[in-house]
Amino acid sequence: MAETKAQTLPPNRMGTEPIQPLLIKTSLPMVISMLVQALYNIVDSLFVARIEEDALTAVSLAFSMQNLMIAVAIGTGVGFSALVSKSLGERNFEMANYAANNAIPLYAITYLFFLFAGLFLVEPYFELQHASANITQYGNDYMKLVLICSFGMLMQICLERMLLATGKTFYSMITQATGAIINCIMDPILIFGLLGAPRLEVKGAAVATVFGQIVAASLALFFNLKFNKELTLGFRYMKLKAAVVRRIYAVGLPSIVMASIGSVMVFGLNRILMAFTSTAAAVFGAYFKLQSFIFMPIFGINNGMVPIVAYNYGARNKARVLATIKYAAMYAIGIMFLGVVMFETIPGTLLRFYDASPDMLAIGIPALRIIATHFLIAGACIMMSSSFQALGNGVYSMIVSILRQLVALLPAAYLLSLSGNLNMVWWAFPIAEVVSLLTCIFFMRKIIREKLNFTDPPVHPEAGV
């Protein structure tokens, strides 16, 4: 079966096309979809902020819980898609099918955990952050629905990762863009009760989010069944196999831990900021939405890079692996430079998108300028960390994340907060990013020396870089 499929399928472009145009072709659709996603993030909070500042604060405090959910979903996706890409590079189609199909029940199990959280843990979560009764009510309205209906988001990520694993980034772009556009259209209608719809305020933002995710998941399923010929979806491959699950989470679990640490960081930093004022937490939430417009395209390049690196690692082509990482890092740093220029020159304009009060501007303008100093370093670190996952060393990425966010950022933020000067807290971001860069360089040199020291010729010896 595998030999027949290998004979009938043409060589995968990830192993043969020149790297620069290939990276651009695989990344550009994802960059576009991520920009749409970032626009949705900004618009979503923009409308919520016009209810009142407490509503924006509630959505900001909810971010760490949402981020945890996304962390588990994307981490599992990183694990199974890396295994799919590597298996395709090895021409092992049976393993590729098991990796893709075993992901479906894994996501179903994940949903049960977040369903429980939505039913029982939302209110205690906001109380732990010392939120006022008004902020807690807004947060309860928003988070309960997002968590209870998280099956849409989980299946969307699962099915999009199948498309990414085989290099079909155009279809993934269409699904993400469709979900985001639907969300942007429905947000003002449901939040403010336009066109005869009921005024749902923060709950309306949750309904729009959930509906967009369900539509996107349905579209991603259609694209996989119709166009993803390298994978076969079926019950035969869905029965969980311990060996496959272990391989998925050998890469995916460090990614889950790494992104979950981000949730811990956001939760802890919000508590530090709330000790100053709830407006500082609102600024932090606005920053995260604004920086997504810079970071999301970087993640688009990352999503285009990972399957190329994983495929060529499976094909034992060191030159193509290193060239892909190099060019991806160069593009990422270029985008980050534009982000630095924006945050340093027009921070007040950016914050006014959120109907910022004078107090919010007074806190937010220096905050954005200080935090932006780490953007260039972050671009290179994201690409190196993602390459560790693509090469099967997700533990390295996890260590980098732990050092950056738990060992460096949170302790630095706490110690700087003892000065009583809120502006000092923001310097924790560039401090942590320097720690991340030094660690990434150490691991990159180690992985090149130990894992890319191939002695046999590549599977596609004719491929250039």
Side-chain angles (χ1 to χ4, degrees):
M1 174 70 178
E3 290 180 3
T4 303
K5 195 166 189 176
Q7 291 167 359
T8 57
L9 282 173
N12 193 298
R13 62 177 182 161
M14 290 189 287
T16 57
E17 288 189 16
I19 290 296
Q20 281 208 67
L22 174 63
L23 182 61
I24 291 171
K25 280 191 286 187
T26 56
S27 299
L28 189 57
M30 292 308 304
V31 169
I32 294 171
S33 66
M34 289 294 186
L35 281 171
V36 174
Q37 191 73 22
L39 182 62
Y40 140 66
N41 286 337
I42 291 173
V43 171
D44 193 46
S45 294
L46 185 151
F47 288 126
V48 167
R50 277 159 174 73
I51 300 171
E52 63 169 306
E53 190 176 290
D54 276 358
L56 176 61
T57 303
V59 173
S60 300
L61 295 178
F63 177 78
S64 56
M65 177 70 85
Q66 281 183 286
N67 191 58
L68 177 63
M69 182 168 58
I70 294 169
V72 177
I74 291 182
T76 303
V78 167
F80 89 78
S81 62
L83 180 55
V84 168
S85 294
K86 184 174 183 293
S87 299
L88 291 174
E90 297 167 339
R91 314 298 277 177
N92 186 346
F93 297 99
E94 190 80 357
M95 176 57 72
N97 285 329
Y98 272 113
N101 283 271
N102 268 212
I104 295 173
L106 292 177
Y107 277 94
I109 294 168
T110 300
Y111 169 66
L112 296 179
F113 285 100
F114 289 106
L115 174 63
F116 177 84
L119 292 173
F120 302 109
L121 301 181
V122 173
E123 198 163 330
Y125 166 80
F126 281 95
E127 290 172 354
L128 275 174
Q129 298 184 86
H130 307 301
S132 67
N134 194 40
I135 292 173
T136 299
Q137 184 58 55
Y138 278 128
N140 201 50
D141 289 344
Y142 182 78
M143 277 308 299
K144 269 199 171 181
L145 189 58
V146 168
L147 289 171
I148 290 172
C149 298
S150 60
F151 58 85
M153 183 275 290
L154 292 168
M155 291 316 299
Q156 177 187 349
I157 291 176
C158 174
L159 294 162
E160 283 177 355
R161 282 284 166 174
M162 292 182 193
L163 295 168
L164 291 174
T166 55
K168 293 172 177 59
T169 54
F170 174 77
Y171 298 112
S172 181
M173 176 194 74
I174 296 298
T175 62
Q176 287 198 14
T178 299
I181 290 169
I182 288 172
N183 194 309
C184 288
I185 293 171
M186 292 182 65
D187 259 337
I189 294 173
L190 296 176
I191 290 172
F192 302 114
L194 306 179
L195 303 177
R199 181 184 173 93
L200 299 177
E201 298 194 337
V202 171
K203 191 177 290 185
V207 173
T209 296
V210 166
F211 184 74
Q213 291 166 345
I214 292 172
V215 172
S218 302
L219 193 58
L221 176 61
F222 169 76
F223 285 147
N224 271 287
L225 295 175
K226 182 74 174 176
F227 302 111
N228 208 350
K229 303 301 182 183
E230 290 178 293
L231 294 177
T232 301
L233 298 182
F235 291 109
R236 172 194 167 192
Y237 296 107
M238 285 185 196
K239 184 177 179 181
L240 291 176
K241 293 175 68 73
V244 175
V245 173
R246 278 197 300 269
R247 292 186 67 180
I248 288 173
Y249 284 112
V251 174
L253 187 59
S255 181
I256 292 171
V257 173
M258 179 174 63
S260 300
I261 289 168
S263 296
V264 175
M265 182 275 291
V266 171
F267 182 87
L269 196 54
N270 273 325
R271 291 198 60 164
I272 292 170
L273 295 173
M274 290 285 282
F276 285 92
T277 168
S278 63
T279 301
V283 166
F284 185 44
Y287 157 73
F288 254 100
K289 300 295 184 179
L290 291 168
Q291 62 93 32
S292 70
F293 205 73
I294 309 301
F295 279 75
M296 283 295 192
I298 306 299
F299 295 136
I301 296 172
N302 166 41
N303 285 333
M305 177 197 74
V306 166
I308 301 174
V309 170
Y311 185 96
N312 285 285
Y313 176 55
R316 307 181 71 77
N317 195 323
K318 176 181 178 179
R320 288 177 65 82
V321 168
L322 295 180
T324 303
I325 297 169
K326 180 184 77 172
Y327 289 127
M330 289 169 53
Y331 298 149
I333 291 171
I335 293 172
M336 285 298 194
F337 177 76
L338 297 177
V340 172
V341 172
M342 287 176 57
F343 275 62
E344 295 294 341
T345 57
I346 55 169
T349 303
L350 296 174
L351 289 168
R352 287 188 185 93
F353 286 133
Y354 294 92
D355 204 23
S357 64
D359 284 346
M360 189 171 174
L361 288 172
I363 293 172
I365 289 174
L368 264 57
R369 285 178 171 155
I370 292 169
I371 295 173
T373 58
H374 85 280
F375 281 4
L376 294 178
I377 301 174
C381 290
I382 289 170
M383 290 307 156
M384 284 190 281
S385 185
S386 298
S387 69
F388 301 155
Q389 295 172 322
L391 293 168
N393 284 77
V395 172
Y396 290 173
S397 300
M398 180 181 69
I399 293 172
V400 170
S401 186
I402 291 172
L403 288 175
R404 178 184 176 272
Q405 298 182 86
L406 295 188
V407 177
L409 197 152
L410 266 186
Y414 173 72
L415 292 173
L416 292 169
S417 73
L418 299 179
S419 69
N421 184 347
L422 177 58
N423 286 339
M424 294 296 294
V425 176
W426 310 116
W427 284 104
F429 284 89
I431 290 170
E433 208 61 58
V434 170
V435 172
S436 176
L437 176 65
L438 294 175
T439 310
C440 281
I441 291 172
F442 172 79
F443 282 137
M444 180 58 71
R445 295 181 66 178
K446 180 178 172 64
I447 206 169
I448 289 172
R449 184 173 63 251
E450 295 179 358
K451 296 208 71 172
L452 296 178
N453 188 24
F454 300 131
T455 55
D456 50 340
V459 175
H460 303 290
E462 76 284 0
V465 297

